[in-house]
Amino acid sequence: MTKRVAIACLLLSLACSRRGVDGPATETAREVVEEELIPQVVEPPVLVSIVPASSATEIPRDCRQPVEETCNAIDDDCDGVIDDGCGYGTGFMQVTVSWDTGADIDLYVTGPLGDTLSFQRPSTPSGGLVDHLGRGNCGSSMENARIENIRWVGERPMGGIYEVELRYWGECITSGGPTNVTVSVAVGRQIAGQYVQSLLPGERVRVLRFVVQ
Ligand SMILES: [Ca+2]
Ligand SMILES: [Ca+2]
């Protein structure tokens, strides 16, 4: 028995117990792998609830007259995608923040397993991905320096509680002071909520919590 066939048999002991190891077992292994690669139609996640901190203020959403999308963490054109065309993406879920000074603001999102996405950990095995980091005036010149964006792609996000935190990392020498941060959440291509939270230098605030299933 070759090593490869032995491994296939280990994985498919039921099939191997009935078949010889010269061909059918490896055939079966190949069939299983190919089946796993077939894309599945996945139901989008659904928002159960969203609760902002008492310090956050809801931004009214008015889609009677959608306007052109700009890169501001608001779904201006009301298609359920936050800042489409700005160079960062959506997916099963999207959390986007923008802010109004040259400060460096950091976004943290903690999922149901307690794993936190941020600049320190830009991806998780469950499909979470930090796909845009802004450093305000602390970084070298970059596009959308006052935006951070996290999205879930590849596989459906796990159901459960998600917590969104903001941290005022630094004033970046020449700018900063009190900073207003806009936070938007989209779940299954629908806007779950949009809020503004004011932050002082050094503050870290849990700005909202949402539940999906
Ligand atoms: Ca949009
Ligand atoms: Ca926008």
Side-chain angles (χ1 to χ4, degrees):
M1 187 186 295
T2 65
K3 189 177 177 187
R4 191 173 161 194
V5 172
I7 292 168
C9 285
L10 192 63
L11 295 172
L12 296 160
S13 56
L14 181 62
C16 288
S17 68
R18 293 185 180 177
R19 300 180 188 211
V21 294
D22 293 336
T26 49
E27 283 284 318
T28 309
R30 194 176 305 125
E31 285 163 16
V32 169
V33 169
E34 284 172 0
E35 269 180 25
E36 285 173 353
L37 292 175
I38 296 171
Q40 302 289 315
V41 175
V42 179
E43 288 289 316
V46 176
L47 179 75
V48 176
S49 61
I50 184 164
V51 180
S54 58
S55 53
T57 304
E58 185 166 9
I59 300 170
R61 180 167 158 84
D62 185 355
C63 284
R64 286 173 295 185
Q65 291 182 311
V67 297
E68 192 177 340
E69 193 73 71
T70 56
C71 308
N72 56 357
I74 294 288
D75 175 26
D76 306 281
D77 63 358
C78 291
D79 67 349
V81 178
I82 304 158
D83 293 358
D84 28 325
C86 289
Y88 39 92
T90 188
F92 289 106
M93 300 199 304
Q94 180 182 6
V95 179
T96 312
V97 299
S98 71
W99 57 95
D100 65 352
T101 71
D104 184 352
I105 305 294
D106 294 328
L107 169 64
Y108 296 80
V109 180
T110 302
L113 295 178
D115 48 343
T116 301
L117 286 150
S118 73
F119 72 97
Q120 291 161 310
R121 191 183 185 208
S123 67
T124 57
S126 53
L129 178 69
V130 180
D131 76 339
H132 187 81
L133 292 169
R135 295 219 59 208
N137 291 350
C138 283
S140 53
S141 63
M142 63 177 291
E143 224 175 320
N144 297 317
R146 299 177 182 184
I147 294 276
E148 298 213 339
N149 188 65
I150 295 180
R151 62 185 179 137
W152 282 258
V153 290
E155 64 181 277
R156 194 181 191 281
M158 177 176 291
I161 300 171
Y162 290 78
E163 289 191 342
V164 179
E165 288 178 278
L166 302 171
R167 184 179 67 150
Y168 193 127
W169 187 85
E171 293 193 271
C172 306
I173 304 171
T174 57
S175 46
T179 296
N180 295 312
V181 185
T182 298
V183 185
S184 284
V185 178
V187 175
R189 292 237 170 169
Q190 295 192 29
I191 300 303
Q194 51 189 31
Y195 307 91
V196 64
Q197 167 75 49
S198 192
L199 285 182
L200 296 172
E203 271 193 311
R204 181 166 176 158
V205 172
R206 196 191 73 213
V207 67
L208 62 90
R209 181 184 274 179
F210 64 98
V211 178
V212 300
Q213 65 178 18

